[in-house]
């Protein structure tokens, strides 16, 4: 499974989510946007155009383009692919 995680090291929820992904052995690409304006712009485009956002990060984008704010969903989908 391909998953992109948008977040920032300054966010405790993002730090916890990244730890879970590592612990579960889930491969991901981390778009750390606090030090990369390009990643921030990509995230803001998602945030501003998708109704799932009641909170911002961590945000996960799956290979099919769907989004989730739920680390448990990421873990479940990864386990289903194994």
């Amino acid at each position: 499974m391909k998953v992109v995680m948008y977040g920032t090291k300054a966010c405790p929820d993002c730090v916890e989510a990244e730890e879970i992904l590592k612990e579960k052995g889930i491969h991901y690409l981390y778009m750390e946007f606090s030090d990369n304006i390009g990643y921030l712009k990509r995230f803001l485009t998602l945030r501003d155009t998708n109704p799932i956002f009641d909170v911002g990060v961590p945000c996960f984008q799956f290979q099919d383009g769907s989004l989730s704010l739920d680390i448990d969903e990421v873990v479940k989908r990864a386990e289903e692919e194994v």
Side-chain angles (χ1 to χ4, degrees), residues 15-48:
V15 172
E16 180 181 1
E18 187 176 24
E19 288 173 5
I20 291 169
L21 293 173
K22 287 179 182 177
E23 178 182 294
K24 299 285 185 178
I26 298 171
H27 298 285
Y28 63 97
L29 173 62
Y30 195 145
M31 299 282 201
E32 160 63 71
F33 57 67
S34 63
D35 60 355
N36 185 308
I37 194 71
Y39 294 164
L40 177 60
K41 287 180 179 182
R42 284 180 67 167
F43 170 71
L44 292 176
T45 298
L46 291 174
R47 186 202 65 189
D48 292 345

